[in-house]
Amino acid sequence: MTDVTVPKRLSAGDRVAVVAPSGPVRAERLEVGTAYLEQWGLEVEVMPSVLVGHERLNYLAAADKARAVDLRNAWLDPSFAAVFCARGGYGVQRMLEYVDFDELVAVPKWFVGFSDITALHEPLNARGLVTIHGPMAAAVEQLGDETGRQRLHDLLFEPERVTDLLAPSGARRLVGGVAEGPLRGGNLALLAASVGTPTYAPPTGIVVVEDVSEDAYRVDRLLTQLLRSGWFAGVTGLVIGDFSEADDSGLVSAVVRDRLEPLGLPMVEGSAIGHEDLNLAVPLGLPVRLDATEGTLTPLFS
């Protein structure tokens, strides 16, 4: 297994950068979100292209190269201890060809984001860097949730306080058993979209999946794509997060069980990981222990 690198914990007074690798960012939301980070004693700097917009494609925060340059400059600047994404949306896949992931992992620092940001987590985790799937700098509803905000803070500043990644929300057993391995995964649509691309990085270990605005038949299609590609070959356990704003949540749950229970892997559902206001941050790439019978997910910090 690839050696794991856990970035240095943050402390009050650290400088952090905000980048926008995906969709456009509203300035008023970013102002509210960064204020939460500043309450932790962090000095926040917003990178140049975050609020620029794209001249033709209004679903992008800025041109592909500009977003990639911001990410690189923020990451390689030694004065920044962490890089926070502003929001998800769509756009990361368009800029991946401009990102040198070996260059980034050579300078370990915390990287925070979720949803479309899964396309960046995957190659970083595959190279052994632990990153955080969790609330972003302009995600005001999620940062505004005290429980979720505290989890993010603890992972960044006091990781020893986090002993169960599924608490306090808990999770429901689908298939009992215990499994260990690095935690991987993220947004289901992005995981499926990476298959066959240069950054394709099938996981080994425990996988978490979540999504938003994907109806049951589309969840079926995405899971079937991953199953047919052999993506689950090295997976040892499964954590099913939130599938928000679906047509029928009960039907989505039935699809997940129909597609994944035959794998026979320890599996839980109902974890508060995803697009709901309570989005519990988790350390992707870190070794964890899933006890699906008890509904716990223990981080194995060393």
Side-chain angles (χ1 to χ4, degrees), residues 83-106:
V83 178
F84 285 78
C85 294
R87 60 158 298 197
Y90 170 76
V92 167
Q93 287 184 311
R94 292 175 51 108
M95 56 169 266
L96 290 178
E97 63 187 283
Y98 305 117
V99 180
D100 182 339
F101 289 99
D102 293 327
E103 178 183 52
L104 299 187
V105 298

Side-chain angles (χ1 to χ4, degrees), residues 32-71:
V32 173
T34 55
Y36 285 114
L37 305 183
E38 290 167 348
Q39 288 174 10
W40 297 342
L42 298 175
E43 181 182 339
V44 182
E45 181 170 328
V46 177
M47 298 302 287
S49 74
V50 170
L51 298 172
V52 168
H54 193 285
E55 62 180 6
R56 293 187 306 277
L57 306 178
N58 63 5
Y59 52 83
L60 297 173
D64 298 338
K65 286 186 177 180
R67 288 179 284 122
V69 166
D70 268 4
L71 176 64

Side-chain angles (χ1 to χ4, degrees), residues 3 15 23 36 44 82 130 144 147 161 185-186 215 221-222 234 248 271 290 302:
D3 291 338
R15 296 181 72 235
Y36 285 114
V44 182
V130 176
T147 299
R161 291 172 56 92
D215 292 341
R221 181 178 64 206
L222 295 167
D248 183 331
S271 61
L290 171 65
S302 60

